[in-house]
Amino acid sequence: MMIKITFPDNTVKEFESGVTAQEIAESISSRLAKEVLSCSINGQVTELNRPITTDATLKLFKWEDEEGKKTFWHTSAHLLAEALQELYPGIEFGIGPAIENGFYYDVLTPEGSVIKESDFETINNKMAEIAKRGESLVKKNITKMDALDFFEKKGQKLKLELINELTDGTISTYTQGNYTDLCRGPHLISTEPIKAIKVTAVSAAFWRGDAKRETMTRVYGVSFPKKKLLDEYLVMLEEAKKRDHRKIGKEMELFMFSDRVGKGLPIWLPKGTDLRLRLEAFLKKIQTRYGYQQVITPHIGSKQLYVTSGHYAKYGKDSFQPIHTPNEGEEYMLKPMNCPHHCEIYARKPRSYKDLPIRIAEFGTVYRYEQSGELHGLTRVRSFTQDDAHIFCRPDQVKDEFLSVMDIIMKVFKTFKFENYDAQISLRDQNDHSKYIGSDENWEKAESSIIEACKEKGMHAHIEYGEAAFYGPKLDFMVKDAIGRSWQLGTIQVDYNLPERFQLEYVGDDNEKHRPVMIHRAPFGSMERFVAVLIEHTCGHFPLWLTPTQVAILPISEKFIDYAQKIKAYFDENDVRSTIDDRNEKIGRKIRDNEMQHIPYLIIVGEKEAQNGTVSIRKQGEGDQGSLTYDDFVKKIQAEVREMTKF
């Protein structure tokens, strides 16, 4: 019996029933067959050796594809576990997923054994040895009883806990060599493609993120199909250390954390506050052009507000717990989201179809109780400010509003030179609509609006079915920074859920009541995370219009401090942000120290400059720029800023 296979370019070929994706790749080219790592059959990512018995759509994933990397690293996690099993007899295993850059496995080491950094080379060598064996990964579907019996005999009590939560008929294992793991897959068909391996870190982690449970050892690693890729990755890691926003933020005195204030609660210092306010002013200026109205809402709200919105059910465990007031039964919460407050603003008075769209924007601070082990500088905090906005519109306005939001996001990316980015359209599952709210008609309108908006912008966006939020489809942007790392910045989401929960209405041209559609958007995402990404993207060398200190004035000796102060006063009058380094240090030391502060311009003043009314100019990264009168230097700065701020 022949079956039809449809490829991503919509070409269709016939193959015998039972053919595998690996065999199909071989039929296309032997090179492709060597490079392909996994596949998707009718949208489900799976192994290359799975038989295809009916007509199907097929995608083949290589290392360059996210799905290919994820499969590669998931298999590498099993390879790590197999190596640890050989090196530490009696070790117990938790979970071992693929993550953004590599993989990890959580383990309980045998009593008396500790995995340390000095053990990494031994683990690396053992993993490489196993990979060379080219062990096949064999999937087996087993009953719940058999699974419990197998892992009990293995002494894997954590696996038993996981199995007890599974439904019979849905359980599978993967075996490679002498190692068998509870897993739903997918995996490589063998360990042979894993050519380069590096254990990168070890840390403590609570079993299932619960501080009351076992403290486990989390072993991190990364792997590649070529040694050259590993070498490039290690170079990137070294560069990433130099760009670490925590290090640069401390050097530039932008922000700080204090255990007395509380973990994960950033404190913005004067220079960081100045930077942040400029970012807010930049976005407010753009938003005003697009018809947004700025609002300010409280940092807390009645618990019932978040019960109504559904955020209490969704974020209750990850939120700071309710605040009890002196009035019995009265509870408030630190807000986990700004959306419910904005719904209340919309609902404060009757709305007509002529009033829409209504665009409400807020730099609103929200609070989530992230686990201590997951906190990381400004990228993962417990208090953060979203550049939030919500658009309430009619269904026929969704596409135009999407286009406008895309314009704003593109302006942000262009201004900050995020030139390399990917876009993903997340749509609902094509077959199972049961987990989504809203009518099919509204979903079809919203999805087609997003797709059409991307086409009109000439934006190539890949579509992922089943990745939509339960309340509507969305468009996400992943930008690559200066050293090739991906960060999610910018999201646009369509929501039918909150207007329904809050009973939002407008009177249509038919004089009937209708539900508005709600669009969520955040070009920065959060101020904290955006600043962290911007620091690491620019290595702290912010554009001149944004940087907290544009010029450092360096007098050669204390005799020229009066002249330096005269210059600074003139700079202040002309909106040039400057500082004087009046320390009793040699000029070479002053230059080095101020360059460490990532200040774009250093001007040196001594006897010649004081006599002539000039300044000697050094530019960050470019060295000596000659001399100018301080008035001409101000004009130069102003011209550069004007050119940069044509947004």
Side-chain angles (χ1 to χ4, degrees):
M1 175 179 151
M2 303 299 288
I3 58 172
K4 292 180 179 179
I5 300 296
T6 304
F7 293 90
D9 62 359
N10 290 323
T11 59
V12 179
K13 292 185 179 181
E14 288 195 341
F15 296 89
E16 287 188 12
S17 176
V19 69
T20 67
Q22 184 70 48
E23 290 168 339
I24 292 173
E26 284 279 6
S27 73
I28 297 171
S29 79
S30 57
R31 180 175 179 178
L32 176 63
K34 289 180 180 178
E35 294 178 347
V36 70
L37 300 171
S38 61
C39 66
S40 71
I41 301 172
N42 294 328
Q44 180 184 3
V45 182
T46 188
E47 285 85 14
L48 294 170
N49 57 1
R50 172 180 159 184
I52 308 172
T53 56
T54 60
D55 293 349
T57 59
L58 176 70
K59 287 183 182 178
L60 298 172
F61 300 128
K62 300 192 293 184
W63 173 257
E64 293 76 18
D65 302 302
E66 182 181 344
E67 296 88 345
K69 280 192 179 77
K70 189 173 181 180
T71 303
F72 193 94
W73 284 333
H74 190 182
T75 303
S76 299
H78 281 224
L79 181 64
L80 169 62
E82 185 177 5
L84 294 176
Q85 180 179 266
E86 291 192 20
L87 293 169
Y88 301 90
I91 194 169
E92 292 184 50
F93 296 101
I95 59 170
I99 54 177
E100 185 177 358
N101 284 302
F103 53 90
Y104 71 77
Y105 219 116
D106 286 345
V107 297
L108 285 174
T109 55
E111 189 173 347
S113 295
V114 178
I115 299 175
K116 307 179 296 297
E117 190 171 341
S118 57
D119 300 318
F120 289 0
E121 186 175 354
T122 301
I123 299 170
N124 287 337
N125 292 338
K126 179 57 70 173
M127 289 178 70
E129 174 193 323
I130 297 169
K132 285 179 183 177
R133 299 174 194 165
E135 295 174 340
S136 297
L137 282 94
V138 180
K139 182 178 181 179
K140 185 178 180 183
N141 295 315
I142 61 175
T143 66
K144 189 169 185 175
M145 184 178 294
D146 286 344
L148 289 169
D149 180 61
F150 177 84
F151 285 100
E152 186 173 13
K153 288 177 180 175
K154 289 281 188 180
Q156 298 292 331
K157 66 176 185 291
L158 301 178
K159 297 292 184 184
L160 296 177
E161 181 179 325
L162 296 174
I163 294 166
N164 277 315
E165 296 173 3
L166 299 176
T167 304
D168 205 357
T170 65
I171 300 171
S172 60
T173 62
Y174 282 79
T175 299
Q176 67 205 51
N178 294 318
Y179 178 73
T180 298
D181 206 345
L182 175 73
C183 186
R184 67 169 63 96
H187 285 284
L188 303 176
I189 58 179
S190 89
T191 61
E192 192 273 333
I194 304 172
K195 304 294 186 185
I197 302 156
K198 181 80 172 176
V199 176
T200 56
V202 64
S203 68
F206 295 118
W207 171 235
R208 310 191 85 171
D210 186 345
K212 297 177 182 177
R213 298 295 305 273
E214 297 90 335
T215 300
M216 307 190 71
T217 300
R218 177 168 293 178
V219 184
Y220 290 92
V222 69
S223 58
F224 297 89
K226 296 178 182 177
K227 184 179 182 301
K228 178 185 175 186
L229 294 173
L230 173 59
D231 293 340
E232 291 171 353
Y233 177 77
L234 295 177
V235 170
M236 186 275 289
L237 281 185
E238 286 303 311
E239 182 62 26
K241 287 180 184 177
K242 297 176 190 174
R243 293 170 177 265
D244 190 322
H245 75 277
R246 296 167 299 177
K247 171 179 172 288
I248 293 174
K250 184 176 181 179
E251 291 171 352
M252 295 184 70
E253 299 181 346
L254 300 178
F255 59 88
M256 63 170 281
F257 291 89
S258 163
D259 285 344
R260 287 185 180 178
V261 173
K263 293 181 183 298
L265 302 175
I267 298 170
W268 293 87
L269 300 174
K271 291 180 182 178
T273 300
D274 183 55
L275 174 78
R276 175 170 158 165
L277 291 175
R278 287 183 194 284
L279 286 171
E280 289 186 12
F282 156 75
L283 193 55
K284 284 178 181 176
K285 182 177 180 180
I286 293 175
Q287 288 177 165
T288 299
R289 295 178 195 161
Y290 284 85
Y292 287 84
Q293 302 172 77
Q294 202 73 28
V295 301
I296 299 173
T297 62
H299 290 244
I300 66 172
S302 164
K303 176 183 170 182
Q304 189 56 45
L305 175 71
Y306 307 112
V307 171
T308 300
S309 70
H311 288 106
Y312 184 74
K314 183 174 177 60
Y315 293 109
K317 291 181 180 178
D318 298 322
S319 295
F320 289 88
Q321 292 307 294
I323 303 164
H324 299 274
T325 73
N327 289 338
E328 187 176 348
E330 187 178 51
E331 293 180 299
Y332 285 81
M333 290 186 66
L334 291 169
K335 65 177 176 181
M337 283 288 195
N338 300 301
C339 332
H341 296 254
H342 293 186
C343 287
E344 288 295 293
I345 291 173
Y346 177 92
R348 72 190 176 91
K349 65 179 183 180
R351 307 287 184 176
S352 161
Y353 72 97
K354 294 179 181 179
D355 299 327
L356 304 183
I358 293 171
R359 307 178 187 96
I360 298 172
E362 177 179 16
F363 289 90
T365 303
V366 297
Y367 303 86
R368 312 254 179 90
Y369 191 79
E370 303 286 357
Q371 294 295 324
S372 296
E374 296 176 345
L375 298 174
H376 183 82
L378 293 181
T379 60
R380 198 72 180 267
V381 288
R382 289 173 173 168
S383 165
F384 56 95
T385 302
Q386 295 177 311
D387 59 319
D388 225 345
H390 298 95
I391 302 166
F392 301 90
C393 62
R394 304 188 306 265
D396 63 292
Q397 295 172 322
V398 169
K399 177 184 166 185
D400 286 342
E401 291 306 305
F402 237 85
L403 287 167
S404 293
V405 175
M406 289 171 71
D407 283 342
I408 293 173
I409 290 174
M410 291 303 102
K411 286 180 187 292
V412 170
F413 288 179
K414 182 179 179 181
T415 300
F416 296 101
K417 297 185 179 178
F418 289 118
E419 295 157 355
N420 190 358
Y421 61 88
D422 295 313
Q424 175 179 307
I425 301 172
S426 298
L427 306 181
R428 63 178 174 168
D429 191 294
Q430 291 178 293
N431 302 312
D432 180 10
H433 294 178
S434 62
K435 57 185 177 181
Y436 306 100
I437 68 164
S439 68
D440 287 345
E441 180 185 4
N442 280 341
W443 269 90
E444 287 162 9
K445 283 181 183 177
E447 291 181 339
S448 62
S449 293
I450 297 175
I451 293 168
E452 288 170 17
C454 289
K455 284 181 179 176
E456 283 194 26
K457 288 295 182 188
M459 179 181 293
H460 174 71
H462 64 280
I463 294 175
E464 289 293 336
Y465 291 99
E467 292 297 316
F470 71 94
Y471 50 76
K474 60 180 181 172
L475 178 66
D476 292 320
F477 294 89
M478 298 293 296
V479 302
K480 288 191 176 179
D481 66 14
I483 59 174
R485 296 170 301 176
S486 290
W487 306 85
Q488 183 176 339
L489 292 179
T491 184
I492 319 172
Q493 302 175 356
V494 179
D495 186 356
Y496 296 103
N497 179 44
L498 286 185
E500 186 70 34
R501 282 179 172 269
F502 282 90
Q503 299 292 294
L504 303 183
E505 296 176 338
Y506 67 91
V507 177
D509 57 2
D510 58 0
N511 214 32
E512 297 292 328
K513 291 182 177 180
H514 301 272
R515 289 267 183 264
V517 181
M518 189 174 178
I519 298 176
H520 306 245
R521 48 110 285 197
F524 290 160
S526 81
M527 300 303 294
E528 287 73 13
R529 193 165 188 274
F530 187 81
V531 169
V533 173
L534 190 60
I535 289 172
E536 301 207 4
H537 180 57
T538 64
C539 202
H541 301 294
F542 301 119
L544 186 63
W545 68 270
L546 180 64
T547 193
T549 304
Q550 295 170 317
V551 184
I553 306 167
L554 315 181
I556 288 177
S557 71
E558 62 181 13
K559 290 191 298 182
F560 305 105
I561 289 176
D562 288 346
Y563 181 55
Q565 290 173 339
K566 178 182 177 182
I567 294 170
K568 187 180 188 317
Y570 188 75
F571 286 174
D572 291 345
E573 290 172 12
N574 289 276
D575 296 323
V576 174
R577 300 185 294 280
S578 65
T579 184
I580 299 173
D581 187 344
D582 57 5
R583 295 175 300 159
N584 185 23
E585 295 283 357
K586 292 183 178 180
I587 193 66
R589 173 68 182 271
K590 289 184 180 183
I591 290 171
R592 285 192 301 274
D593 289 351
N594 283 278
E595 284 184 340
M596 285 290 291
Q597 288 285 314
H598 305 276
I599 298 172
Y601 283 100
L602 310 181
I603 61 173
I604 299 164
V605 294
E607 186 172 354
K608 184 174 74 171
E609 288 79 17
Q611 287 176 350
N612 299 330
T614 60
V615 292
S616 181
I617 307 161
R618 289 182 64 87
K619 189 172 183 179
Q620 180 78 244
E622 297 182 21
D624 182 38
Q625 303 289 297
S627 296
L628 287 174
T629 65
Y630 57 79
D631 178 59
D632 284 342
F633 178 70
V634 164
K635 291 175 182 175
K636 170 183 169 65
I637 295 292
Q638 291 173 335
E640 284 188 35
V641 169
R642 277 196 304 273
E643 185 62 30
M644 288 179 176
T645 52
K646 289 179 179 178
F647 33 69

